[in-house]
Amino acid sequence: MIFSAMFGAGLYLIHRLRLPMRAFMSQALERDRSVTVPGFIARQHGNDARVQLIAATLSVCAFAGLIASAAIGAASLVEPILPGGLNTTFPIACGLLGLMLLYTIPAGNSGAMRSAQAQLGILYFGLIGSTLIVLYMLISSAGQMPPQGTFAVTVLAACCAIVLIYRRSRYIDTSPFRSLVSGEATDIEPLGARLFRRFSRIVNELIAVLAATTLVIALIGLYAQGVTAVITESVSALRAETQTSISGLLALVLLPIFYPIVDTTNWLRITALEIDPHSGRVDTGRTPETFARVLAMYASASALLWLLICMFGTIAVLATNTPGGADVLRSFIVRLASQQNDLADVASWLLLVSVIAMAVLTSSAMFSAILATIRYDIIPAVWSSLAPERAQPSNEALARRRAIIAGSSLCVVMLIALFVLNDNPALSFTSGRFLNLQLACLCAQLAFGPLVLGPLISGNSAAISPAWAIAVIGAGVAAGQGVIIVSLQPEHTAWLWSAIPACLGSGLSLYAVARLWTSKTASGA
């Protein structure tokens, strides 16, 4: 719940800083420049190609690691649900990466954003459907519901009510597909697009029915307990002691607040709001109020989805009597798949749909960010003649091909790494090495935080020299990765969560020193 609330706070931070972000993106789109985080950092801190190349390389490596870890995690969770006792982790991971390429490369960022709407709807369908089944299993059991279960059912009922009121049966975008011919939008819509929109309408109604049914069953269970008992047990669940360390709590607060602002996928989503989907050009008529409303909707929907996932996990563990531990999620899936009844089978397959949709949704967004970073940040730094504002039409096509080839080659490297590490238990979803890999990739991008937040809050006065910018990035990355390396030792595993505060703290400290040095130098001159 802390992570859900702080993630919403992080997206609200983007909402508050939207005006300078929008100004940068509008100017970059008009001049066909980079709209990524590395491009913003380079533009604000000396417009230096070295800063842009270093930040872009870190972003690409971090996204590649996160995509690989998402494939590993999803495959290890899906494997117990599938029939047969063979090791299917690698084939599942290959299939997920193939879907990612299929969603991203043919249609680009706009197509990835459109497909993300459909994947989000499928995620809602699988998540709410599986939650409905495990909720029924929990309420229909003869045992007394523990306080954590009462609180989870209460929050679930509130989430379902908000989803029904807020989304209004619009979980998947059903607006017409319009194609561009000679820069102008046409009303010709392919047959496949029309069939997809009809399918999306049906899925929207099914999700609404599932959410309403879940709300009714949750209210029935809460009514049977009584209002007084529900309030007492919910308060008792909130007051229960947790075994989370101080560094763990700091990481749960700092990571979701600061990571969205340095995540290039969010910058690409915001950039998509600046473009008219019918003409493919910058939408100069979009008002700031409309822009702010869309950002607020994105923030609330993301926080609500994370909260639904948390409540599903609590109810599912209680319904199946899964023992706690580091591998509680995989243990729950194994226990659910081993039950010989129709309800458990339906819940397993709905959960399978949710896991795949979530994996493809996040991977396609990150791979789209990789392609954009390669095209607009790395290629211009290596081949200056292929910079978007300088490239001729023939060179533009060449640059796009090189970006796609580089991104596809990166996927091949990920597949080779997954194949080599397929039988290594140290990189399974439940192992500590898996979490180490994810935090290492996150810290590589969190190091951008000071260089992004400073100019967004204080404008051009917060700029520092390119050398200082590289030093700030290096300090954040070195501190975060250093703590993670130390935590690999069995006697120092508790240090792992300190990587997030160490990364942000070291980067902010050096950035403050750089600001003071720059101000002193400017005043002395």
Side-chain angles (χ1 to χ4, degrees), residues 153-471:
V153 174
T154 303
V155 176
L156 176 64
C159 290
C160 290
I162 294 173
V163 165
L164 289 171
I165 297 172
Y166 175 71
R167 301 296 297 192
R168 298 180 182 178
S169 299
R170 295 178 182 176
Y171 306 93
I172 303 178
D173 185 14
T174 57
S175 59
F177 288 80
R178 298 181 184 272
S179 57
L180 293 177
V181 178
S182 299
E184 299 294 334
T186 64
D187 294 328
I188 301 176
E189 188 176 20
L191 175 62
R194 294 198 299 270
L195 293 176
F196 176 77
R197 290 203 298 122
R198 292 177 184 176
F199 171 77
S200 300
R201 293 192 185 100
I202 296 174
V203 174
N204 283 336
E205 297 300 326
L206 288 176
I207 296 173
V209 170
L210 288 175
T213 307
T214 304
L215 174 61
V216 170
I217 293 180
L219 292 177
I220 291 174
L222 295 174
Y223 178 78
Q225 289 186 269
V227 178
T228 305
V230 169
I231 296 175
T232 303
E233 293 188 6
S234 298
V235 172
S236 176
L238 288 173
R239 296 178 60 182
E241 295 184 1
T242 59
Q243 307 247 338
T244 307
S245 62
I246 300 297
S247 60
L249 287 175
L250 280 176
L252 286 176
V253 172
L254 295 176
L255 177 61
I257 288 180
F258 290 102
Y259 186 74
I261 197 70
V262 298
D263 186 3
T264 297
T265 61
N266 288 327
W267 288 63
L268 293 180
R269 291 187 182 103
I270 296 173
T271 302
L273 299 177
E274 291 287 338
I275 300 176
D276 184 3
H278 296 159
S279 64
R281 302 186 183 97
V282 178
D283 188 1
T284 57
R286 191 181 296 273
T287 62
E289 291 77 13
T290 303
F291 189 84
R293 186 170 62 252
V294 173
L295 278 181
M297 291 172 59
Y298 174 50
S300 57
S302 300
L304 183 64
L305 184 60
W306 276 109
L307 200 57
L308 277 173
I309 294 174
C310 294
M311 296 308 103
F312 164 75
T314 303
I315 295 172
V317 168
L318 295 174
T320 56
N321 295 320
T322 304
D327 59 345
V328 60
L329 182 57
R330 182 176 173 84
S331 299
F332 156 71
I333 295 177
V334 172
R335 181 166 296 204
L336 185 65
S338 63
Q339 295 187 15
Q340 302 297 325
N341 58 75
D342 294 336
L343 279 178
D345 292 340
V346 174
S348 299
W349 286 102
L350 287 174
L351 184 60
L352 171 67
V353 171
S354 301
V355 171
I356 293 178
M358 186 180 298
V360 176
L361 176 64
T362 55
S363 299
S364 59
M366 288 187 288
F367 189 69
S368 178
I370 287 177
L371 293 179
T373 303
I374 293 175
R375 170 63 190 95
Y376 290 98
D377 296 309
I378 295 180
I379 288 181
V382 178
W383 297 284
S384 58
S385 61
L386 297 181
E389 63 270 21
R390 301 177 186 173
Q392 301 296 324
S394 58
N395 289 338
E396 176 66 24
L398 175 62
R400 290 181 179 274
R401 284 198 302 271
R402 288 184 177 179
I404 293 175
I405 291 173
S408 303
S409 302
L410 195 61
C411 286
V412 173
V413 173
M414 286 188 284
L415 285 174
I416 295 174
L418 290 176
F419 178 76
V420 173
L421 302 173
N422 185 33
D423 296 326
N424 188 355
L427 286 179
S428 64
F429 180 77
T430 58
S431 68
R433 297 292 188 271
F434 181 81
L435 183 58
N436 286 24
L437 173 62
Q438 288 187 311
L439 288 182
C441 296
L442 294 175
C443 285
Q445 297 189 86
L446 281 175
F448 303 153
L451 301 179
V452 174
L453 287 173
L456 288 179
I457 295 174
S458 303
N460 294 330
S461 61
I464 58 178
S465 67
W468 275 114
I470 294 174

